């Protein structure tokens, strides 16, 4: 009886010892992967390797809510109040996150020579590409529903922030701190800000800081397509570490931008990414609409097809506003109507240790011409790729860095030899 | 043997015989093997399939891909119809009930970790598979 009792107790103790050992290793040998639509608008995904990964994910989601509450423009928020109601000189209390966003934006404004500018919200509204207008993206729109702004209106909206160019407050907004409180104050009542070009990268950095402080040893944080990696990728099957592999989708997969008929993304190029690195793509190929212009003959008469119906030319209007022209990237005015430049930059993929820097430079590269974008990235030592419909330039990335093991990872080769450049720093 | 002699004999005797020790060792080895299999063995690659979540909850265990010679699966979800063919899946054109049909325009996904997201219906469709390849853009 004593022996039987000793055997039973030993078995129970051994089993619990094993159980506790197993609990301690949860998510230390296999990623905790979770993701969901957050803030009603964005897909947020994490891969976390480390103890307490589920709790870390929840903490990240909570912090995203805090950041968003201040800067959302589709619901009441301090930023919406600042934009729509605050007068010049009226201080509006904001969170530390919003204050940081303004300061970071000012830094990247100066680093990109003004190509990165968060004061273009008024223009986004005029061009119908602001956050409230996603419903018709990728479709041709009816010209009696969506009206393009005339050039005078565009120039007037541009002049609101242009007068603050190259000052210490380039957006016409003063950010200040008094003790533990933060304030924004407009210097012109018509100034409107939009943090869409910087907030996602900032949110990714905040989430990654949470992960690092919690002892996570390898992570992927992806928020609305903005990605950051930390530590090396841990392959659970082989129990070894390796670099992450990032494939950048082609902005013109199968020769087309994303369209309502069908789109099968192709990988433009793939490369290894060591931790700690962000990888972000900005481009004109998902959030855009097509504005129809009636095709006109030499005398200005509408051109008709064989069935007697009017023919149309479609102007692509994307969400990235060029702060220098006040128009969507690639769009200019030829004296009669808006036209699109086929040589415009269509996307820029940036790899940088800072997600905010990656986002700032990706936006700036899309605003600039192909040559200017290459020069900007090369001068600043920023790794990435700048893409037009005809050319691609890799900056700080050598051909040997590209993974071409699978042909489908290397559709950049379709550009053909003279149109593929490798620019060293 | 009297009762007290028996008690004395037990007190002086070894707590375990050799056979007890072998039995315990065997049992311990079996328990350790069980613990290793449950907690410490490297996880096998999960079967490649399609995971669907709606409003954060798993709708169904990952769907397996049909074989190349089998008909594609059409799976009606709340808000769209998912088509799964061999090695790929996509949202059936015209099936989404939301105003902008963005999920239909995301096209076919074919690699592990790629996803299709329908924000208005709270649906996330993801290809499940262990891979360090992340698609962006």
């Amino acid at each position: 009886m004593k022996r039987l009792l000793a055997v039973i107790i030993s078995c129970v103790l051994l089993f619990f010892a094993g159980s506790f050992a197993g609990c301690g290793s949860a998510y230390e040998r296999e990623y905790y992967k979770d993701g969901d639509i957050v803030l009603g608008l964005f897909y947020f995904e994490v891969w976390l390797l480390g103890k307490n990964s589920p709790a870390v994910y929840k903490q990240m989601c909570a912090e995203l809510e805090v950041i968003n509450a201040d800067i959302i423009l589709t619901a009441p928020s301090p930023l919406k109040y600042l934009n729509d109601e605050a007068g010049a000189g009226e201080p509006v209390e904001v969170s530390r996150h919003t204050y940081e966003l303004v300061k970071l934006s000012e830094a990247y404004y100066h680093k990109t020579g003004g190509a990165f500018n968060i004061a273009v919200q008024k223009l986004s509204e005029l061009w119908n590409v602001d956050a409230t207008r996603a419903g018709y993206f990728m479709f041709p729109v009816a010209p009696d529903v969506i009206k393009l702004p005339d050039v005078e209106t565009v120039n007037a909206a541009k002049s609101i922030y242009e007068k603050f160019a190259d000052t210490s407050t380039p957006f016409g907004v003063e950010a200040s701190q008094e003790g533990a409180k933060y304030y924004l104050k407009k210097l012109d009542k018509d100034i409107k800000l939009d943090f869409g070009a910087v907030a996602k990268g900032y949110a990714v950095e905040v989430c990654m800081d949470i992960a690092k402080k919690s002892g996570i040893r390898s992570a992927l944080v992806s928020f609305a397509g903005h990605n950051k990696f930390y530590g090396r990728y841990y392959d659970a099957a082989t129990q070894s570490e390796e670099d992450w592999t990032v494939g950048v989708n082609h902005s013109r997969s199968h020769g087309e931008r994303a369209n309502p008929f069908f789109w099968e993304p192709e990988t433009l190029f793939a490369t290894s990414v060591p931790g700690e690195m962000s990888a972000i793509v900005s481009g004109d190929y998902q959030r855009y609409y097509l504005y129809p212009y009636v095709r006109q003959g030499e005398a200005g008469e509408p051109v008709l097809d064989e069935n007697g119906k009017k023919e149309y030319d479609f102007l692509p209007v994307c969400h990235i506003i060029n702060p220098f022209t006040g128009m969507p990237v690639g769009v200019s005015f030829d004296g009669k109507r808006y036209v699109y430049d086929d040589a415009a930059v269509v996307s820029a993929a940036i790899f940088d240790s800072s997600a905010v820097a990656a986002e700032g430079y990706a936006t700036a590269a899309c605003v600039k011409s192909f040559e200017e974008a290459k020069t900007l990235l090369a001068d600043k030592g920023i790794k990435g790729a700048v893409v037009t419909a005809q050319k691609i330039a890799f900056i700080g990335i050598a051909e040997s860095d590209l993974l071409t093991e699978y042909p489908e990872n290397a559709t950049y080769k379709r550009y053909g030899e003279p149109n593929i450049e490798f620019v060293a720093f | 043997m009297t009762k007290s002699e028996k008690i004395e004999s037990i007190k002086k005797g070894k707590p375990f015989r050799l056979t007890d020790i072998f039995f315990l060792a065997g049992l311990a080895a079996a328990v350790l093997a069980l613990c290793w299999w449950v907690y410490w063995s490297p996880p096998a690659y999960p079967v490649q399939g399609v995971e669907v979540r709606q409003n954060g909850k798993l709708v169904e265990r990952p769907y397996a891909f049909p074989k190349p010679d089998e008909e594609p699966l059409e799976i009606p979800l709340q808000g769209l119809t998912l088509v799964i063919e061999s090695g790929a899946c996509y949202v059936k054109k015209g099936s989404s009930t939301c105003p902008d049909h963005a999920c239909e325009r995301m096209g076919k996904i074919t690699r592990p970790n790629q996803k299709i997201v329908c924000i208005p219906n709270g649906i996330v469709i993801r290809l499940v598979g262990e891979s360090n390849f992340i698609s962006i853009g």
Side-chain angles (χ1 to χ4, degrees):
Chain A
M1 183 63 191
K2 186 168 89 174
R3 288 194 201 106
L4 182 61
L5 200 61
V7 164
I8 290 169
I9 290 169
S10 302
C11 289
V12 169
L13 284 173
L14 273 168
F15 180 75
F16 277 110
S19 298
F20 285 128
C23 285
S25 68
Y27 306 122
E28 290 191 85
R29 297 167 56 248
E30 191 176 10
Y31 283 97
Y32 170 77
K33 293 183 185 180
D34 208 337
D36 201 358
I37 294 164
V38 296
L39 313 177
L41 271 179
F42 307 108
Y43 184 66
F44 178 57
E45 182 177 4
V46 300
W47 297 13
L48 302 172
L49 192 72
K51 285 185 198 178
N52 305 317
S53 290
V56 171
Y57 171 67
K58 281 188 183 159
Q59 198 181 343
M60 289 177 178
C61 289
E63 202 61 28
L64 289 176
E65 296 277 353
V66 170
I67 295 171
N68 185 65
D70 235 39
I71 62 172
I72 187 170
L73 291 175
T74 53
S77 72
L79 182 64
K80 189 160 169 57
Y81 177 81
L82 181 82
N83 280 351
D84 297 343
E85 296 182 59
E90 178 187 345
V92 177
E93 188 177 353
V94 296
S95 70
R96 179 186 62 83
H97 289 307
T98 307
Y99 172 83
E100 293 285 348
L101 279 168
V102 172
K103 288 300 179 189
L104 285 165
S105 299
E106 286 172 353
Y108 285 100
Y109 170 92
H110 292 297
K111 286 181 188 183
T112 61
F116 179 85
N117 192 322
I118 59 169
V120 296
Q121 169 65 8
K122 179 69 185 168
L123 286 160
S124 296
E125 291 171 0
L126 286 173
W127 286 99
N128 303 286
V129 292
D130 62 289
T132 62
R133 318 288 189 117
Y136 46 72
F137 278 153
M138 297 189 190
F139 285 105
V141 294
D144 55 343
V145 173
I146 299 290
K147 296 210 180 298
L148 299 185
D150 56 58
V151 174
E152 291 71 32
T153 306
V154 168
N155 289 333
K158 199 159 60 86
S159 67
I160 296 169
Y161 59 80
E162 273 184 332
K163 56 181 178 265
F164 299 103
D166 298 320
T167 67
S168 59
T169 53
F171 312 128
V173 170
E174 235 172 50
S176 61
Q177 179 184 0
E178 289 172 26
K181 293 196 173 189
Y182 303 90
Y183 298 91
L184 296 185
K185 189 166 62 178
K186 293 197 297 193
L187 302 176
D188 183 309
K189 67 174 176 54
D190 293 322
I191 285 284
K192 286 191 172 190
L193 300 183
D194 174 16
F195 290 110
V198 66
K200 298 182 193 81
Y202 178 79
V204 164
E205 286 291 347
V206 167
C207 290
M208 194 56 90
D209 280 344
I210 292 172
K212 287 194 270 187
K213 283 175 185 163
S214 304
I216 297 294
R217 64 182 173 90
S218 173
L220 160 65
V221 172
S222 178
F223 179 62
H226 291 60
N227 309 280
K228 182 155 187 176
F229 306 89
Y230 174 70
R232 301 189 78 209
Y233 174 77
Y234 178 76
D235 186 331
T238 59
Q239 297 187 50
S240 63
E241 292 182 347
E242 57 196 56
D243 285 345
W244 301 83
T245 303
V246 171
V248 175
N249 282 339
H250 199 336
S251 49
R252 297 291 187 268
S253 289
H254 303 287
E256 304 261 356
R257 51 174 103 209
N259 67 73
F261 303 105
F262 207 80
W263 191 51
E264 190 171 325
E266 296 181 296
T267 304
L268 179 64
F269 68 91
T271 188
S272 291
V273 167
E276 167 176 357
M277 188 67 70
S278 295
I280 286 169
V281 181
S282 279
D284 71 346
Y285 55 104
Q286 291 194 340
R287 291 178 60 195
Y288 71 95
Y289 62 85
L290 299 169
Y291 185 84
Y293 277 116
V294 175
R295 197 171 289 167
Q296 292 181 327
E298 283 183 13
E301 80 286 8
V303 172
L304 303 178
D305 64 15
E306 59 207 18
N307 297 317
K309 290 189 177 172
K310 290 178 190 169
E311 291 191 346
Y312 290 90
D313 292 320
F314 290 96
L315 176 77
V317 177
C318 85
H319 72 291
I320 304 175
I321 300 293
N322 181 333
F324 301 116
T325 63
M327 300 176 197
V329 293
V331 173
S332 60
F333 189 72
D334 70 355
K336 287 185 190 172
R337 61 173 231 194
Y338 292 110
V339 294
Y340 181 75
D341 180 3
D342 286 329
V345 172
V346 300
S347 69
I350 303 292
F351 299 86
D352 194 270
S353 57
S354 159
V356 175
E359 194 171 6
Y361 283 109
T363 302
C366 287
V367 162
K368 289 185 176 283
S369 70
F370 182 68
E371 294 300 324
E372 289 170 344
K374 277 173 18 189
T375 304
L376 171 69
L377 299 182
D379 286 352
K380 298 293 181 186
I382 302 295
K383 275 192 187 180
V386 182
V387 186
T388 72
Q390 304 86 17
K391 297 182 184 184
I392 181 169
F394 295 94
I395 296 89
I397 299 175
E399 194 163 13
S400 55
D401 296 327
L402 301 178
L403 303 174
T404 52
E405 186 183 339
Y406 303 106
E408 61 265 30
N409 282 352
T411 57
Y412 75 90
K413 290 187 177 182
R414 284 196 219 133
Y415 278 97
E417 202 52 43
N419 299 317
I420 303 170
E421 291 178 54
F422 292 92
V423 179
F425 289 140
Chain B
M1 218 185 247
T2 62
K3 194 174 176 184
S4 59
E5 282 169 350
K6 269 188 190 171
I7 291 168
E8 280 305 313
S9 160
I10 289 168
K11 277 183 183 175
K12 286 174 188 173
K14 291 177 187 172
F16 294 102
R17 295 183 202 153
L18 196 59
T19 48
D20 290 334
I21 293 169
F22 282 134
F23 179 72
L24 271 175
L27 205 56
V31 170
L32 280 169
L34 184 68
C35 289
W36 178 87
W37 179 61
V38 173
Y39 298 113
W40 296 318
S41 61
Y45 280 121
V47 172
Q48 285 227 0
V50 185
E51 178 191 88
V52 180
R53 288 179 181 261
Q54 185 153 24
N55 298 321
K57 293 191 180 132
L58 196 62
V59 165
E60 184 60 74
R61 290 167 60 189
Y63 297 95
F65 286 121
K67 293 185 184 135
D69 56 348
E70 287 177 348
E71 287 293 314
L73 300 171
E74 281 200 13
I75 297 161
L77 300 170
Q78 223 173 328
L80 55 90
T81 298
L82 175 63
V83 179
I84 303 178
E85 54 188 42
S86 176
C89 71
Y90 57 93
V91 174
K92 187 174 181 181
K93 187 167 176 303
S95 69
S96 66
T97 57
C98 60
D100 61 4
H101 301 266
C103 54
E104 294 174 22
R105 294 179 243 126
M106 288 181 191
K108 279 186 188 177
I109 53 174
T110 55
R111 295 179 185 272
N113 308 320
Q114 282 187 309
K115 50 199 145 313
I116 296 171
V117 180
C118 175
I119 288 174
N121 288 308
I123 295 174
V124 178
I125 300 158
R126 190 170 73 91
L127 289 190
V128 176
E130 286 300 325
S131 171
N132 69 342
F133 190 101
I134 311 293
S135 273
I136 66 171

